[in-house]
Amino acid sequence: MHPYRTHTCNDLRPAHAGQTVKLSGWIFRKRDHGGILFVDLRDHYGQTQIVVHPSRSFFELLTHLKLESVVTFVGRVTMRDAATINPDLPTGAVEVVADECIEQSVADQTPIYLAGDEDTAEEVRLKYRFLDLRRASLHQNILLRSRVIAHLRQKMTALGFNEFQTPILTCSSPEGARDYLVPSRVHPGKFYALPQAPQLFKQLLMVAGFDRYFQIAPCFRDEDARADRSPGEFYQLDMEMSFVTQEDVFQVVEDVLHSTFTTFSKLAVDAAPWRRIPYREAMLKYGSDKPDLRIPIEMRDVTAIFRSSGFNAFAGAIKTGAVVRAIPVRAIKTQPRSFFDKLVEHAKSLGSKGLAYLIWDGEQIKGPIQNCLKQEELQQEMTLG
């Protein structure tokens, strides 16, 4: 028999009942039910319930072992009673009655409780990162990353791309941030730069005639943290193609990303071809070149309405060439006055002198600038809703 295991903690099923098996893993939970000890043993693959009777010589040892200690069990697979089956676990229909226990590594009391949902301070989680990564959610995130990258490689290879690794120590080629510099030992006083992207090298590959290149590329940028990436470094799917049109590039990206999101996410993803929004249209309608189209709000040009209005703040600006745009928001009429006061304060915190707004309740228009508009101008405003 293997010195550590014959099966993983996710392998055992009812078909294994009656077999003698060996499992190794971490003690995830312990429960004492009327003198019988139940141990949830966890490894990379899953969990298995171990049953330890008080007659066993190692019963006291297990009673005192701390959670996250590493042990090996030898025992017989048995079926659970119908009332104790755990449908949430693939191994939930069976358990292992332990005949032997080998202590592999004893743990101290852990500063992070891994078997519950309690929130631990971030500085503690980072200090004990090796423990934090044992949490089921983080463990699955790391595995998801691995599977996504493997999927990207498979898709790109199937589309005729070749994967090449480009240099990390290189010359400086600033793009959108500052470089990270690495001092050179063999050239005192000189520095290498870490690439912000493999731009120069992939262009060399194209010039050299490699036709289709891709890489899961590390990028290093000395910039502040962002909501969607770690500060300092991130990885991106980088590609380059020769003798192609923009539409060819779009088709590859649509194929790869649609396949990735439909495989690994429950989000609804539009089928190809995806909607193309020209940059000018995106900025005019959404004020962003990467709008979230799940938000059904589009800006409208209301310059003509305010051109000859009595609201001089807008009318005067329009005479100098300014444009006035409005953001029509439905179902906002039910909000209290305090809601709009907070919006005004938020606008001022962004550097604006204020916020002009009008509310249409379905019958009439009200708001701070109502009296500055003529009736026909108010009627035009109503058409925005």
Side-chain angles (χ1 to χ4, degrees):
M1 184 177 285
H2 192 277
Y4 294 110
R5 64 187 180 192
T6 58
H7 300 78
T8 72
C9 291
N10 195 50
D11 282 343
L12 302 180
R13 301 291 188 273
H16 296 95
Q19 296 183 17
T20 297
V21 298
K22 180 181 285 189
L23 303 177
S24 291
W26 288 260
I27 298 176
F28 191 49
R29 296 186 186 90
K30 292 192 299 182
R31 302 178 301 281
D32 190 336
H33 289 182
I36 299 178
L37 190 63
F38 292 88
V39 176
D40 289 338
L41 191 69
R42 184 198 77 242
D43 66 5
H44 167 76
Y45 304 96
Q47 295 179 41
T48 298
Q49 179 170 282
I50 311 295
V51 181
V52 183
H53 291 285
S55 59
R56 299 302 182 189
S57 59
F58 48 85
F59 183 86
E60 286 299 320
L61 167 67
L62 283 172
T63 301
H64 295 95
L65 273 181
K66 298 288 193 299
L67 299 182
E68 295 306 305
S69 294
V70 182
V71 293
T72 298
F73 286 106
V74 179
R76 182 171 48 87
V77 181
T78 63
M79 296 295 297
R80 293 198 200 185
D81 295 335
T84 62
I85 290 177
N86 186 347
D88 296 328
L89 289 179
T91 60
V94 299
E95 57 193 12
V96 175
V97 179
D99 297 320
E100 182 182 350
C101 175
I102 303 169
E103 177 187 303
Q104 303 288 3
S105 178
V106 179
D108 293 330
Q109 183 67 45
T110 58
I112 299 175
Y113 181 57
L114 304 180
D117 296 326
E118 67 176 33
D119 193 18
T120 305
E122 184 177 26
E123 58 269 22
V124 177
R125 293 176 58 192
L126 293 175
K127 181 178 180 180
Y128 298 99
R129 189 61 168 166
F130 65 97
L131 292 176
D132 195 39
L133 287 174
R134 296 182 189 179
R135 291 178 184 271
S137 58
L138 289 182
H139 196 85
Q140 289 305 313
N141 285 346
I142 298 296
L143 290 176
L144 175 62
R145 177 188 176 95
S146 174
R147 291 167 185 152
V148 168
I149 290 175
H151 179 81
L152 291 174
R153 283 197 166 101
Q154 182 183 31
K155 286 294 297 182
M156 295 301 290
T157 301
L159 289 170
F161 286 79
N162 295 295
E163 182 177 10
F164 300 108
Q165 282 70 45
T166 53
I168 297 299
L169 295 176
T170 178
C171 61
S172 178
S173 58
E175 296 193 21
R178 293 175 293 272
D179 289 325
Y180 279 110
L181 301 178
V182 180
S184 170
R185 178 183 60 84
V186 295
H187 302 288
K190 296 183 180 296
F191 296 81
Y192 294 105
L194 302 183
Q196 294 187 33
Q199 189 67 37
L200 295 178
F201 300 108
K202 68 179 182 180
Q203 289 172 343
L204 286 174
L205 289 170
M206 292 301 100
V207 172
F210 286 96
D211 198 69
R212 288 193 169 200
Y213 140 92
F214 87 96
Q215 181 183 189
I216 311 297
C219 302
F220 305 91
R221 298 178 182 177
D222 185 7
E223 60 187 2
D224 295 334
R226 300 186 187 181
D228 59 351
R229 69 175 61 160
S230 300
E233 63 177 292
F234 62 92
Y235 282 76
Q236 67 182 27
L237 172 61
D238 200 82
M239 67 179 73
E240 195 79 25
M241 306 164 65
S242 294
F243 302 110
V244 293
T245 65
Q246 177 176 269
E247 188 60 32
D248 294 326
V249 178
F250 284 168
Q251 288 177 5
V252 169
V253 172
E254 287 172 347
D255 186 7
V256 173
L257 293 187
H258 183 272
S259 171
T260 302
F261 276 92
T262 53
T263 301
F264 297 101
S265 171
K266 296 180 180 179
L267 296 173
V269 183
D270 293 341
W274 291 343
R275 177 183 171 188
R276 269 69 153 163
I277 305 177
Y279 175 81
R280 179 176 178 80
E281 178 186 342
M283 297 305 293
L284 288 175
K285 287 186 176 181
Y286 309 105
S288 170
D289 61 353
K290 48 182 183 297
D292 186 341
L293 298 182
R294 295 172 298 180
I295 302 173
I297 297 177
E298 295 182 6
M299 292 190 295
R300 309 288 180 86
D301 192 324
V302 293
T303 306
I305 297 175
F306 286 95
R307 188 181 304 279
S308 58
S309 71
F311 189 50
N312 293 328
F314 284 177
I318 290 171
K319 291 178 181 179
T320 63
V323 175
V324 180
R325 296 194 181 96
I327 304 176
V329 182
R330 298 180 184 274
I332 204 172
K333 60 187 179 183
T334 58
Q335 296 291 343
R337 173 61 184 271
S338 60
F339 172 82
F340 297 96
D341 291 340
K342 290 178 181 178
L343 285 182
V344 173
E345 291 303 316
H346 179 67
K348 290 181 178 179
S349 72
L350 299 176
S352 173
K353 294 182 179 180
L355 178 68
Y357 64 88
L358 291 165
I359 307 168
W360 180 34
D361 62 7
E363 297 179 359
Q364 59 180 335
I365 292 180
K366 299 179 292 185
I369 62 174
Q370 171 193 358
N371 295 330
C372 299
L373 295 171
K374 301 174 184 177
Q375 188 60 37
E376 59 270 21
E377 294 167 343
L378 289 174
Q379 289 297 323
Q380 286 183 274
E381 284 281 358
M382 291 171 60
T383 63
L384 292 176

